[in-house]
Amino acid sequence: MGHPLLADAPGRIELLLGNEAIVRGALEAGVQVVTCYPGTPSSEVPDTFFRLSPEGDFSFEYSTNEKVAFEVAAGATLAGAMTLVTMKHVGLNVAADPLMTLAYLGAPGGLVVLSADDPGCHSSQNEQDNRAYARLAGIPCFEPSTAQEAKDMTRAALLFSREHGLPVMLRTTTRVNHLRGPVTFGPFMPKTKPAGVPKDPRHFVPVPVFARPMHLDLMAKMARARTQVETSPFNKEYGSGPHGVLAVGINRSYLADALAESGLEAEFSVLELGFSFPLPEERLTAFMRGKKSLLVLEELEPILETEVRALAQKAGLSLLIQGKDLACLPRHGEYSGRMVTEALYAALGRTAPTPVHCAGTEGLPVRPPNLCAGCPHRAAYFAVRQVYGDEATYSSDIGCYTLGLLPPLRMADFLVCMGSSVSAGCGASRAAGQKVVAFIGDSTFFHSGMTGLANAVYNRHDILLVILDNKTTAMTGHQPHPGVEKTALGDNPARIDIEAVVKALGVTQFRKVNPLNLKATTKALEELKGMSGVRVLLTEEPCPLFARRVMAVKKPMTAYIPDPCDDCGQCLDTLACPAFSKKDGRVEIDELSCSGCMFCLQVCDRIKARKRSA
Amino acid sequence: MSEAKSLRVFMTGVGGQGTLTATKLLAQAVLSQGLPVTAGEIHGMAQRGGVVESTLCLGVLSPRIGFGEADVLLGFEPIETLRALPYLKAGGIILSSDEFIAPMAVALGREQGPDLQEIKAKASACAGTVRFFSIRSMGKSCGAVQSGNIALLGALCASGLLPFGPEVLEATIRATMKPKVAEGNVKALTLGVEAFQTQ
Ligand code: SF4
Ligand code: SF4
């Protein structure tokens, strides 16, 4: 039996995650090439394609970073393939260069870029609003709010892109990527074989003389796109009240529920934009005309709000337009049903009744995310802290290992973005002469650490870079990268050796250790500490979760404390493996949590190993 | 599919407990009855012991539940039940585990968490119905701690709040899981149903 997402079964209803619905939509449109760099909340899209790839009729790759993913996708659509490229919002910053210019070149085969935004920073370093990128590049934008729409809009966006030869953005938010709902399947579209890139430099090589007419071309295409947005079935009106509400994305769901539950339905008319850019100017103007007021519901930046204010001015309309100026609609974080309810009341000059709910309890112990028991990063950090203490400044990067920031390890003093550990570390070291130790993971090294390392060598910086190679992209769900030996689908046939790359980049002061060997790691660190210039320590040990699930590694031993130990708590205060606990003054190790890394035995000689009991 | 009475269930637990599996299963059971369902999850770094919250909503579009909006609070861990209390509407229903999974700071003896008595008192002070079950033990007796979550779903089915009974959930378990896994989970489901009925 094939995977349900591949079933040619129009009319079938399946419960899908928003991200799975996007996959189905792309399959229905006849997607031929899919590229990505994983990142929450987008990751289940590429991960699902990866799992389907042995059975599916499409090409899929985890690219080394978002820029590369976008460029591979760009070449594919120029060659005539229907193409999807996926990333999280900050990934589009990395891919912004090809995005801006591909808009000029166009997308003959069709190209949709998924931008998975994260209002509220559930798993991101910022909450930028990527609808601005659709405006900046001048490309159309769809914003689904349910699983069904995630499927339907992905399909429609790909077909629209091919029809108009324009790249299209599918902009989601965490709530939409990670909701589950019923999805009714549609039919598969027939595929046409890509014809290859035509010999037509006038249209595909943007030297200035060609780029100028390309820009005009783009604007003409967007004008044609606009006429279709005016009548798009994804833009809907309901209600016939005197006050208008304009809503996009997940806010449309909050609004529908809030209207039904507040009993204010008779007061409002609603215009929902699912196909939200280019603006359906005529429809919006007609909608505003005759309304007493307009409430704009959009998370993050007041983009639509500003645009409709301009439209109203152009049309000579003087209705009251409200959005971010309402105290209940902040410019940061997510919206909610409650906020929308308050805004509806505010639009009527009334105050929403306060909901009655149970009281909260202050000061409950929190559960901050933590490195897993047996994580090799904890071991590497432990050794670095032993050798450097607070003497060094720690330049961190993005991955599980960012969690080393927590006490007792405290191994992150600053972090900018993917790949910044080495380059920002160089800047800090040069500016203030600080001793800098930078940390980068294996996947992030391939993403954008290599260029920073080349720069460090070339510009003769003084930095110790620790490459924490755990053989997978752990944080986002164990995706492969060029350096891995194994993937969930088998061996990596084209492995790139990090050590060879580091040496080829001109690094001569190099050590490689297994971080679970404390003595060897400390020794290597001490040697490197005595040197200056660019130094690299490569620590190699697979993430234990990945080792267990994918590499089928079994660790038969567990750590335990044969009593009596003196309960000094040193191991808790310096290593703090989550398998440790202290009950009634006694230090214990939980066998179920212990992954058997055997690192703590080297930290305290009272800890011993024994066979796992089950 | 949109005329059903609305029902919002807020679920909370600790990463690795199987909260999301339970959510998906329940959503699948609702869908198998042709009812409109939206479930919400936030995936993040949950594998590392953080709080995992999820929602199941019937008859509404939004997957989000705000303070005072949940009809039911399913707590897979008692401290998390307490933390999530504000989501419950006054007079709502709480079904919760009474077996602690200690947060790091508590496990290390650095902080003290609330005890069961405090949690029960605070829950009873505002909810209409409050029931606690030893779901991890139930799960263990069926072969896997994680099955304890299914036991709590069993209690939910037995409560009569859902528009269907435990037999629908049982059918969903059998339809979506490998026979061996399904067996343990069906057993846990039955334990949960019985626990609700006899308590
Ligand atoms: S998932 Fe792997 S790499 Fe990440 S914290 Fe856990 S053990 Fe460490
Ligand atoms: S061996 Fe020690 S450090 Fe490693 S997981 Fe077990 S308790 Fe933690």
Side-chain angles (χ1 to χ4, degrees):
Chain A
M1 201 184 80
H3 193 286
L5 286 175
L6 292 170
D8 187 8
R12 179 188 288 181
I13 300 176
E14 290 272 347
L15 181 77
L16 298 183
L17 196 65
N19 279 341
E20 294 168 336
I22 289 171
V23 172
R24 173 68 194 188
L27 291 169
E28 285 182 10
V31 76
Q32 289 159 312
V33 174
V34 182
T35 67
C36 74
Y37 188 80
T40 316
S42 75
S43 304
E44 295 85 357
V45 177
D47 294 353
T48 305
F49 274 115
F50 180 54
R51 272 198 305 278
L52 295 177
S53 59
E55 288 177 73
D57 176 25
F58 54 81
S59 139
F60 169 78
E61 71 173 50
Y62 287 109
S63 308
T64 42
N65 68 29
E66 293 87 354
K67 177 177 187 289
V68 171
F70 201 105
E71 289 158 353
V72 174
T77 189
L78 292 177
M82 184 174 278
T83 304
L84 175 69
V85 50
T86 74
M87 57 196 68
K88 67 181 295 176
H89 60 334
V90 286
L92 199 53
N93 300 332
V94 180
D97 196 2
L99 165 69
M100 293 302 144
T101 302
L102 187 74
Y104 280 26
L105 304 188
L111 179 141
V112 167
V113 51
L114 167 66
S115 168
D117 290 14
D118 189 20
C121 299
H122 291 283
S123 47
S124 310
Q125 63 269 43
N126 76 27
E127 53 178 356
Q128 65 186 53
D129 188 337
N130 276 8
R131 293 177 303 158
Y133 268 123
R135 271 83 176 163
L136 184 59
I139 61 169
C141 179
F142 286 81
E143 295 181 71
S145 78
T146 62
Q148 180 72 50
E149 281 187 354
K151 193 278 278 177
D152 290 342
M153 287 189 187
T154 307
R155 184 180 201 274
L158 279 164
L159 296 173
F160 187 92
S161 170
R162 169 170 280 191
E163 183 191 333
H164 292 262
L166 265 172
V168 172
M169 176 185 290
L170 180 72
R171 190 257 188 176
T172 56
T173 54
T174 305
R175 294 284 165 185
V176 178
N177 296 99
H178 288 169
L179 59 72
R180 264 177 218 282
V183 175
T184 307
F185 286 5
F188 289 127
M189 300 295 289
K191 296 190 188 194
T192 35
K193 202 172 168 301
V197 184
K199 296 250 173 253
D200 184 9
R202 182 170 286 277
H203 285 105
F204 298 123
V205 183
V207 290
V209 60
F210 296 158
R212 288 179 205 114
M214 283 180 194
H215 191 190
L216 294 180
D217 241 17
L218 170 61
M219 292 191 288
K221 282 184 196 165
M222 280 299 272
R224 283 196 293 279
R226 186 188 313 283
T227 62
Q228 291 207 8
V229 182
E230 293 284 358
T231 56
S232 168
F234 292 117
N235 298 335
K236 292 174 227 157
E237 281 174 55
Y238 63 89
S240 53
H243 298 274
V245 190
L246 174 62
V248 283
I250 189 73
N251 308 295
R252 295 187 279 131
S253 297
Y254 301 151
L255 175 63
D257 293 345
L259 282 172
E261 294 183 342
S262 65
L264 295 176
E265 278 159 307
E267 300 290 340
F268 292 96
S269 302
V270 175
L271 173 55
E272 293 188 342
L273 294 187
F275 193 171
S276 58
F277 191 77
L279 282 195
E281 294 183 0
E282 284 161 34
R283 184 161 195 179
L284 278 164
T285 309
F287 180 76
M288 285 191 281
R289 191 160 277 138
K291 294 288 180 316
K292 283 191 182 155
S293 67
L294 181 73
L295 174 66
V296 184
L297 299 175
E298 59 187 327
E299 288 172 322
L300 301 175
E301 300 304 319
I303 292 176
L304 261 186
E305 183 186 332
T306 310
E307 288 168 342
V308 293
R309 283 184 197 281
L311 271 184
Q313 195 272 346
K314 236 197 305 192
L317 300 174
S318 59
L319 78 171
L320 173 68
I321 297 175
Q322 287 175 298
K324 299 291 172 184
D325 45 355
L326 292 175
C328 56
L329 297 180
R331 199 167 167 165
H332 61 88
E334 300 183 274
Y335 279 6
S336 66
R338 174 68 198 160
M339 289 177 185
V340 170
T341 304
E342 284 178 23
L344 290 173
Y345 275 94
L348 300 175
R350 292 157 57 185
T351 312
T354 336
V356 193
H357 62 78
C358 300
T361 304
E362 297 289 314
L364 286 178
V366 294
R367 298 183 196 270
N370 194 356
L371 296 170
C372 304
C375 177
H377 300 330
R378 177 178 287 102
Y381 283 149
F382 182 87
V384 175
R385 180 146 285 287
Q386 276 207 330
V387 173
Y388 278 92
D390 277 330
E391 206 184 314
T393 302
Y394 297 112
S395 176
S396 193
D397 220 308
I398 295 182
C400 284
Y401 50 96
T402 317
L403 295 173
L405 115 134
L406 299 173
L409 300 164
R410 291 177 285 116
M411 279 289 137
D413 292 320
F414 64 103
L415 160 62
V416 186
C417 60
M418 287 285 285
S420 73
S421 54
V422 53
S423 21
C426 288
S429 132
R430 180 144 297 170
Q434 280 173 302
K435 204 170 271 177
V436 174
V437 179
F439 299 102
I440 194 166
D442 40 351
S443 186
T444 308
F445 178 72
F446 285 110
H447 178 282
S448 48
M450 294 186 297
T451 39
L453 186 55
N455 181 71
V457 171
Y458 169 58
N459 283 307
R460 285 173 290 146
H461 281 282
D462 181 27
I463 191 165
L464 168 58
L465 177 66
V466 181
I467 304 177
L468 303 158
D469 181 3
N470 65 358
K471 309 289 172 190
T472 183
T473 316
M475 182 172 67
T476 48
H478 299 128
Q479 292 84 358
H481 62 68
V484 302
E485 282 142 39
K486 290 231 179 274
T487 80
L489 296 181
D491 291 346
N492 172 12
R495 182 169 172 258
I496 301 177
D497 182 33
I498 295 182
E499 177 176 352
V501 173
V502 168
K503 291 187 170 160
L505 287 174
V507 175
T508 50
Q509 308 180 103
F510 175 87
R511 298 284 184 281
K512 181 164 83 175
V513 292
N514 182 329
L516 296 181
N517 183 336
L518 178 58
K519 223 192 207 156
T521 309
T522 312
K523 180 166 168 272
L525 280 164
E526 257 151 12
E527 288 166 7
L528 291 165
K529 192 181 174 189
M531 307 170 187
S532 62
V534 179
R535 292 144 290 156
V536 170
L537 174 68
L538 174 61
T539 68
E540 287 188 331
E541 172 65 19
C543 157
L545 304 190
F546 181 71
R548 201 164 55 229
R549 283 180 205 154
V550 176
M551 303 169 85
V553 173
K554 289 211 170 70
K555 301 225 169 170
M557 306 298 276
T558 64
Y560 82 112
I561 305 175
D563 36 18
C565 89
D566 38 12
D567 296 314
C568 68
Q570 271 284 347
C571 55
L572 300 184
D573 296 339
T574 56
L575 186 63
C577 171
F580 298 161
S581 67
K582 194 166 189 173
K583 270 194 209 102
D584 307 321
R586 301 301 321 271
V587 179
E588 289 174 14
I589 291 175
D590 176 36
E591 186 181 302
L592 263 181
S593 315
C594 170
S595 84
C597 76
M598 299 293 119
F599 186 74
C600 55
L601 278 74
Q602 305 158 60
V603 171
C604 173
D605 58 12
R606 308 302 281 269
I607 304 177
K608 304 285 180 215
R610 67 177 171 201
K611 270 239 162 67
R612 209 174 269 283
S613 53
Chain B
M1 296 214 300
S2 65
E3 292 308 311
K5 205 172 137 270
S6 76
L7 180 77
R8 290 182 171 97
V9 183
F10 191 93
M11 287 168 259
T12 182
V14 176
Q17 263 197 298
T19 310
L20 299 182
T21 315
T23 310
K24 185 174 169 192
L25 193 70
L26 197 56
Q28 237 142 7
V30 177
L31 186 63
S32 75
Q33 300 304 291
L35 296 167
V37 62
T38 314
E41 313 163 358
I42 291 292
H43 309 183
M45 314 213 275
Q47 73 218 73
R48 287 168 286 281
V51 180
V52 179
E53 296 170 339
S54 62
T55 65
L56 182 97
C57 301
L58 273 77
V60 293
L61 281 176
S62 160
R64 262 195 100 173
I65 297 180
F67 282 1
E69 289 177 358
D71 301 284
V72 185
L73 170 58
L74 284 190
F76 296 106
E77 198 282 339
I79 298 177
E80 295 320 314
T81 302
L82 181 58
R83 204 191 307 277
L85 272 190
Y87 290 100
L88 192 68
K89 57 167 69 143
I93 293 176
I94 297 175
L95 304 172
S96 171
S97 164
D98 61 11
E99 290 164 300
F100 289 95
I101 301 173
M104 191 73 181
V106 174
L108 296 181
R110 302 220 165 94
E111 278 179 47
Q112 220 176 343
D115 61 18
L116 206 54
Q117 235 177 342
E118 178 189 348
I119 296 175
K120 283 186 174 171
K122 288 195 166 150
S124 307
C126 72
T129 306
V130 183
R131 295 289 198 84
F132 280 82
F133 309 92
S134 302
I135 59 167
R136 284 172 76 78
S137 306
M138 289 183 194
K140 261 185 224 153
S141 76
C142 302
V145 196
Q146 282 88 344
S147 297
N149 290 355
I150 311 295
L152 202 62
L153 296 187
L156 175 65
C157 289
S159 74
L161 282 167
L162 296 176
F164 52 82
E167 64 293 343
V168 169
L169 201 60
E170 181 178 334
T172 310
I173 292 173
R174 292 200 192 280
T176 55
M177 293 180 181
K178 291 199 188 96
K180 241 179 104 187
V181 185
E183 216 37 64
N185 281 323
V186 168
K187 235 164 91 189
L189 177 76
T190 317
L191 284 183
V193 173
E194 283 166 5
F196 186 88
Q197 285 163 346
T198 55
Q199 209 183 60

